[in-house]
Amino acid sequence: MADVKKILENMTIEQKVGQLVQFNAMFFVNTEAEITGPMMQYFGLTEENLKNIGSVLNFSNGKETMEIQKKHLAEDPNGIPVMFMMDVIHGFRTIYPIPLALGGSFDPELVEECTRMVAKEAALGGVHVSFAPMVDYVRDPRWGRVMETCGEDVLVNSRMGVAQVKGFQEEGIATCVKHFAAYGGAEAGRDYNTVELSEHVLREHYLPAYKACIDAGVDMLMPSFNSLNGVPATVNPWLMKKILKDEWNFQGVVISDYNAIGELRNHGITNDKKVAAKLAFENGCDIEMCSSTYFQHLKELVEEGTFTMEQLDEAVLRVLNLKNKLGLFEDPYKAVVEDEEKAPFLTPEYRQIAKRAAEESAVLLKNDGILPLAKEAKKIALVGPFADNHEIIGFWACNGRDEESVTIYEGLKAALPEAEIIVAKGCACQWNDLDRSGMAEAIQAAKEADVVILCLGEDEKYAGEGNCRTDLRLPGLQEELATEVAKCNPNTVAVTFSGRPLVLTELEPQVKAILHMWFPGTEGGNAVASLLTGQANPSGKLSMTFPQTVGQCPIYYNRLNTGRPKNLARDNEYFPYSSNYIDCGNLPLYSFGHGLSYSNFVYESLELSADSMTKDDQIQVTITVRNDSPVAGKETVMLYMRDLFASNSRPVQQLIDFKKVDFAAGERKEITFTIKEEMLRFWNNEQKFVSEPGEFDISTGYADHLLLTKRMELKA
Ligand code: GLC
């Protein structure tokens, strides 16, 4: 390890400031006039700044990182290596299902294994730090970045975030939890929009997953673009000082989001870059990403005494310590491979794990028994824009290439070589593409087939940064296509793709089964084929609610009961003076935790080891489940609780634990959980996490479909 304190002693203030700035690779590999001229001027960059840069993002490949590193080290008198960072969210070259899908696998071990494989490829590509995990809690599917998160439950987000931290770090890649905080709470589901949330909602739902990742040892943290209760997160003292430093004692590196410090002007915080730099630094932002207020003003702020040299040194040491932890001083090039074509990307092992992850995160939303496909189905029509479509790897696919993915057609052809498979696109998957010219051919193909697989969804770029939707239905003419196809062939199944919950209310009654794939990644087509043919048994559950209509949004499972709750047993009726709609029920089309299997899991009993406990006790819960079928499968057994009466209104249901369990055909198993007092806590009006004595319902099943319930008491 290097003696970073000694290195620090020899650094000029300009060199120290340089460690606290990050810019795009393009400034370091180009000699194009556009870059070295207007672009540098636009960002206020000088040649000296570039020589002192501490870290670089958005590079094209490992070769580029080697060029930058070599040039930098040749000129850096302190011999401090550049750190390379990238958004490696759910794959580097082999792409795995989007995080919203992986959340629905309810399998943290699987997520950790996928992340390890991702990290192996990323290391070959020159990545030192991944801007992951993204654990933003979200309740509004209109927001494009739902695809990056693990959904609407804080426990799922926390466990999957921790699994990603472990997976990356096990392979020597540092991690950066983001976006702190509550970016997913954007009003109207519109990216970068205002976030106004009460403290108890923040504390109970939006903040815990970041804390879980910090407790798991995440290396960095990235504040979010949004304002929180009127103050942009990057310079929000309540977030960045009170919570992050004073309460959570975060010791890692804080890096701004892309030009977030520069955007303080747009937020109306300051028009003065020196003030922007001051606000960011005093709120704990160590590295400024892609804006140059630190280059332009941090030295001056120190020399004038606004900040002490010790404060500057502390921030620089956090960065140097991270470089040291990564071993960059000993080996600035680490595992990077110069010739990508020779690098072991997309190995059979990676593809196999990516396929398994896609199988385990897919959700069987409906099945009247038509799936798995009968062996007799010899003539299959694949109809719809995703029938033979490579664009199934999602928005944040890093160096992944659409053309390297397996389409449904390719997957099914490989799985059913004897079958006659007809492909007819029918229409597009873009909201404004109303070209009907393919409809007749698609309808004809459906008429002639034994079974029709409707392959529908939203364009893969429709869910991602800056990409939000006001309409969650299948875009374009897809609903019309489904109606026409279902009319002429009742043996119709739908396979759907999205980066967010969709409104499938129109589609649902028209087809006999719906298999939702999210964006499944490189092996998507093979996963679809194995699930449709029964080679794999669906086991995914929804990580996020699917609304009946976008008008219900935000809609989420852990809601409060209100003072005038609707009788949900009669949800299709309207009740005057109840909390309900005139034109729609309250319940979603599909609830959080919903997901079918080819097995038939019977929940036989839920027993408690006692019917009461004190704060110092625990209660064992035993849930007996039987696989009443000849098909082996996996079932996620979920444990919910409801605090019936407390000083704050409490959710009608709250997931407090889950386990994904293998069952052989006909097998019965007892699944045990332990209820601890801390699982019963909430954020009260004295700003503390507390549990209160009283009665609690303990249930299993899934949201809005709780199957077995026992009551217990927490005694004072
Ligand atoms: C983007 C995203 C952030 C990402 C960063 C670097 O704008 O908000 O998640 O890590 O910029 O690409």
Side-chain angles (χ1 to χ4, degrees), residues 22 24 57-58 85-89 130-132 134 136 145 148 176 178-179 183 191-192 222-225 256-259 289-290 396 465:
Q22 179 177 108
N24 287 309
L57 83 159
N58 293 351
M85 304 192 191
M86 186 179 273
D87 296 289
V88 187
I89 308 299
S130 174
F131 294 126
M134 187 274 212
D136 298 333
R145 299 192 78 164
E148 275 179 86
C176 177
K178 67 187 185 182
H179 306 80
Y183 185 18
D191 207 355
Y192 316 121
M222 183 187 294
S224 51
F225 284 125
S256 79
D257 203 336
Y258 199 108
N259 188 37
M289 182 198 290
C290 296
W396 281 105
E465 184 172 355

Coordinates of all heavy atoms in Angstrom, one line a residue, residues 22 24 57-58 85-89 130-132 134 136 145 148 176 178-179 183 191-192 222-225 256-259 289-290 396 465, ligand 1:
Q22 N -13.9 15.2 -11.5 CA -14.0 14.1 -12.4 C -14.7 14.6 -13.7 O -15.7 15.3 -13.6 CB -14.9 13.0 -11.8 CG -15.2 11.8 -12.7 CD -16.0 10.7 -12.1 OE1 -17.2 10.5 -12.4 NE2 -15.4 10.0 -11.1
N24 N -15.4 13.6 -18.2 CA -15.5 12.6 -19.2 C -14.1 12.3 -19.8 O -13.3 13.2 -20.0 CB -16.4 13.1 -20.3 CG -17.8 13.1 -19.9 OD1 -18.3 12.1 -19.4 ND2 -18.5 14.2 -20.0
L57 N -14.7 9.4 -16.1 CA -15.9 8.5 -16.3 C -16.2 8.5 -17.8 O -15.6 9.2 -18.6 CB -17.1 9.0 -15.5 CG -17.9 10.2 -16.1 CD1 -19.3 10.2 -15.5 CD2 -17.3 11.5 -16.0
N58 N -17.1 7.6 -18.2 CA -17.6 7.5 -19.5 C -16.5 7.3 -20.6 O -16.5 8.1 -21.5 CB -18.5 8.8 -19.9 CG -19.7 8.8 -19.0 OD1 -20.1 7.9 -18.3 ND2 -20.4 9.9 -19.1
M85 N -14.3 5.3 -13.4 CA -15.7 5.0 -12.9 C -16.7 4.9 -14.0 O -16.6 5.6 -15.1 CB -16.1 6.1 -11.9 CG -15.2 6.3 -10.8 SD -15.9 7.4 -9.5 CE -14.5 7.8 -8.5
M86 N -17.7 4.0 -13.8 CA -18.7 3.8 -14.9 C -20.0 3.3 -14.3 O -20.0 2.7 -13.2 CB -18.1 2.8 -15.9 CG -19.0 2.6 -17.1 SD -18.4 1.4 -18.3 CE -17.3 2.5 -19.3
D87 N -21.1 3.6 -15.0 CA -22.4 3.1 -14.6 C -22.5 1.6 -15.0 O -23.1 1.3 -16.0 CB -23.5 3.9 -15.3 CG -23.4 5.3 -14.8 OD1 -23.8 5.6 -13.7 OD2 -23.0 6.2 -15.6
V88 N -22.0 0.7 -14.2 CA -22.2 -0.7 -14.5 C -23.3 -1.1 -13.6 O -23.1 -1.5 -12.4 CB -20.9 -1.5 -14.1 CG1 -21.0 -2.9 -14.6 CG2 -19.7 -0.8 -14.8
I89 N -24.5 -1.1 -14.2 CA -25.7 -1.2 -13.3 C -26.3 -2.6 -13.3 O -26.6 -3.2 -12.2 CB -26.8 -0.3 -13.9 CG1 -26.3 1.2 -14.0 CG2 -28.1 -0.3 -13.0 CD1 -25.8 1.8 -12.7
S130 N -17.9 1.2 -9.8 CA -19.2 1.2 -10.5 C -20.1 2.2 -9.7 O -20.2 2.2 -8.5 CB -19.8 -0.1 -10.5 OG -21.2 0.0 -11.1
F131 N -20.9 3.0 -10.5 CA -21.9 3.9 -9.9 C -23.1 3.0 -9.6 O -24.2 3.3 -10.1 CB -22.2 5.0 -10.8 CG -21.1 6.0 -11.1 CD1 -20.7 6.3 -12.4 CD2 -20.4 6.6 -10.1 CE1 -19.7 7.2 -12.7 CE2 -19.4 7.5 -10.3 CZ -19.1 7.8 -11.7
A132 N -22.9 2.1 -8.7 CA -24.0 1.2 -8.3 C -23.7 0.7 -6.9 O -22.5 0.8 -6.5 CB -24.1 0.0 -9.3
M134 N -27.9 1.4 -7.3 CA -28.9 2.4 -7.2 C -30.1 1.8 -6.4 O -30.7 0.8 -6.8 CB -29.4 2.8 -8.7 CG -30.3 3.9 -8.8 SD -32.1 3.5 -8.6 CE -32.8 4.7 -9.7
D136 N -32.8 3.7 -5.1 CA -33.9 4.7 -4.9 C -35.2 4.0 -4.8 O -35.7 3.3 -5.7 CB -33.9 5.6 -6.1 CG -32.6 6.4 -6.2 OD1 -31.9 6.6 -5.1 OD2 -32.2 6.8 -7.3
R145 N -36.7 6.0 -14.2 CA -35.6 5.3 -13.5 C -36.0 4.2 -12.6 O -35.2 3.6 -11.9 CB -34.6 6.3 -12.9 CG -34.1 7.2 -13.9 CD -32.9 8.1 -13.3 NE -31.7 7.3 -13.3 CZ -30.5 7.9 -13.1 NH1 -30.4 9.2 -13.0 NH2 -29.4 7.1 -13.1
E148 N -34.0 1.0 -12.8 CA -32.7 0.8 -12.1 C -32.8 0.4 -10.7 O -31.8 0.0 -10.1 CB -32.0 2.2 -12.1 CG -31.3 2.6 -13.3 CD -30.7 4.0 -13.1 OE1 -29.6 4.1 -12.5 OE2 -31.4 5.0 -13.5
C176 N -20.7 2.6 -5.4 CA -21.2 3.9 -5.1 C -22.7 3.9 -5.0 O -23.4 3.8 -6.0 CB -20.8 4.9 -6.2 SG -21.4 6.6 -6.0
K178 N -26.4 5.2 -4.7 CA -27.1 6.4 -5.2 C -28.5 6.2 -5.3 O -29.0 5.0 -5.2 CB -26.5 6.7 -6.6 CG -26.8 5.7 -7.7 CD -26.1 6.0 -9.0 CE -26.5 5.1 -10.1 NZ -25.8 5.3 -11.4
H179 N -29.4 7.3 -5.5 CA -29.0 8.7 -5.5 C -29.6 9.2 -4.2 O -30.8 9.2 -4.0 CB -29.6 9.4 -6.7 CG -29.3 8.8 -8.0 ND1 -29.9 7.6 -8.5 CD2 -28.3 9.1 -8.9 CE1 -29.4 7.3 -9.7 NE2 -28.4 8.2 -10.0
Y183 N -34.7 10.3 -4.8 CA -34.9 10.7 -6.2 C -36.1 10.1 -6.8 O -36.8 10.6 -7.6 CB -33.6 10.2 -6.9 CG -33.3 10.5 -8.3 CD1 -34.0 11.5 -9.0 CD2 -32.4 9.8 -9.0 CE1 -33.7 11.8 -10.3 CE2 -32.1 10.0 -10.3 CZ -32.7 11.1 -11.0 OH -32.4 11.3 -12.3
D191 N -38.8 12.8 -14.1 CA -37.4 12.8 -13.7 C -36.9 14.2 -13.3 O -37.3 15.2 -13.9 CB -36.5 12.2 -14.8 CG -35.3 11.5 -14.2 OD1 -35.1 11.6 -13.0 OD2 -34.5 10.9 -15.0
Y192 N -36.0 14.2 -12.3 CA -35.4 15.4 -11.8 C -36.4 16.3 -11.1 O -36.0 17.4 -10.7 CB -34.7 16.2 -12.9 CG -33.9 15.4 -13.9 CD1 -34.2 15.5 -15.3 CD2 -32.8 14.6 -13.5 CE1 -33.4 14.7 -16.2 CE2 -32.1 13.9 -14.4 CZ -32.4 14.0 -15.7 OH -31.6 13.3 -16.7
M222 N -23.6 9.0 -3.9 CA -23.9 10.0 -4.8 C -25.2 10.7 -4.5 O -26.2 10.1 -4.4 CB -24.0 9.5 -6.3 CG -24.2 10.5 -7.3 SD -24.5 9.7 -8.9 CE -23.0 9.0 -9.3
P223 N -25.1 12.0 -4.1 CA -26.4 12.7 -3.9 C -27.2 12.8 -5.2 O -26.7 12.7 -6.3 CB -25.9 14.1 -3.4 CG -24.5 14.0 -3.1 CD -24.0 12.9 -4.0
S224 N -28.5 13.0 -5.0 CA -29.4 13.0 -6.1 C -29.6 14.4 -6.7 O -29.4 15.4 -6.1 CB -30.7 12.4 -5.7 OG -31.2 13.1 -4.6
F225 N -30.1 14.4 -8.0 CA -30.3 15.7 -8.7 C -31.4 16.5 -8.0 O -31.4 17.8 -8.1 CB -30.8 15.4 -10.1 CG -29.7 15.0 -11.0 CD1 -29.8 13.8 -11.7 CD2 -28.6 15.8 -11.3 CE1 -28.8 13.4 -12.6 CE2 -27.6 15.4 -12.2 CZ -27.7 14.2 -12.8
S256 N -20.6 14.1 -6.5 CA -21.8 14.8 -7.0 C -22.3 14.0 -8.2 O -21.6 13.2 -8.9 CB -21.6 16.2 -7.5 OG -21.0 16.2 -8.7
D257 N -23.6 14.2 -8.6 CA -24.1 13.6 -9.8 C -23.6 14.6 -10.9 O -23.1 15.7 -10.7 CB -25.6 13.4 -9.8 CG -26.0 12.4 -10.8 OD1 -25.3 12.1 -11.8 OD2 -27.1 11.8 -10.6
Y258 N -23.9 14.2 -12.2 CA -23.3 14.8 -13.3 C -23.7 16.3 -13.4 O -24.9 16.6 -13.7 CB -23.8 14.1 -14.6 CG -23.1 14.3 -15.8 CD1 -22.3 13.3 -16.4 CD2 -23.1 15.5 -16.5 CE1 -21.6 13.5 -17.5 CE2 -22.4 15.7 -17.7 CZ -21.7 14.7 -18.2 OH -20.9 14.9 -19.4
N259 N -22.8 17.2 -13.1 CA -23.1 18.7 -13.2 C -24.1 19.1 -12.2 O -24.7 20.2 -12.3 CB -23.5 19.1 -14.6 CG -23.6 20.6 -14.8 OD1 -22.8 21.3 -14.2 ND2 -24.6 21.1 -15.5
M289 N -18.4 16.1 -10.1 CA -18.5 15.4 -11.4 C -19.0 16.3 -12.5 O -20.1 16.9 -12.4 CB -19.5 14.2 -11.3 CG -19.6 13.4 -12.6 SD -21.0 12.3 -12.7 CE -20.6 11.1 -11.4
C290 N -18.1 16.5 -13.5 CA -18.5 17.2 -14.7 C -19.1 18.6 -14.5 O -20.1 19.0 -15.2 CB -19.5 16.3 -15.5 SG -18.7 14.8 -16.1
W396 N -29.7 1.1 -19.2 CA -28.4 1.3 -18.6 C -27.6 0.0 -18.9 O -27.1 -0.7 -18.0 CB -28.5 1.5 -17.1 CG -28.8 2.9 -16.7 CD1 -30.0 3.3 -16.3 CD2 -28.0 4.0 -16.7 NE1 -30.0 4.6 -16.0 CE2 -28.7 5.1 -16.3 CE3 -26.6 4.3 -17.1 CZ2 -28.2 6.4 -16.1 CZ3 -26.1 5.5 -17.0 CH2 -26.9 6.6 -16.5
E465 N -33.0 7.1 -17.6 CA -32.8 8.5 -17.2 C -33.5 9.5 -18.1 O -33.2 9.4 -19.3 CB -31.3 8.9 -17.0 CG -31.2 10.3 -16.4 CD -29.8 10.7 -16.1 OE1 -28.9 9.8 -16.1 OE2 -29.6 11.8 -15.7
Ligands
GLC1 C1 -26.2 10.3 -14.6 C2 -27.0 9.6 -13.5 C3 -26.1 8.9 -12.5 C4 -24.8 8.4 -13.2 C5 -24.0 9.7 -13.6 C6 -22.7 9.3 -14.3 O1 -26.8 11.6 -14.9 O2 -27.9 10.4 -12.8 O3 -26.9 7.8 -12.0 O4 -24.1 7.7 -12.3 O5 -24.8 10.6 -14.4 O6 -23.1 8.7 -15.6

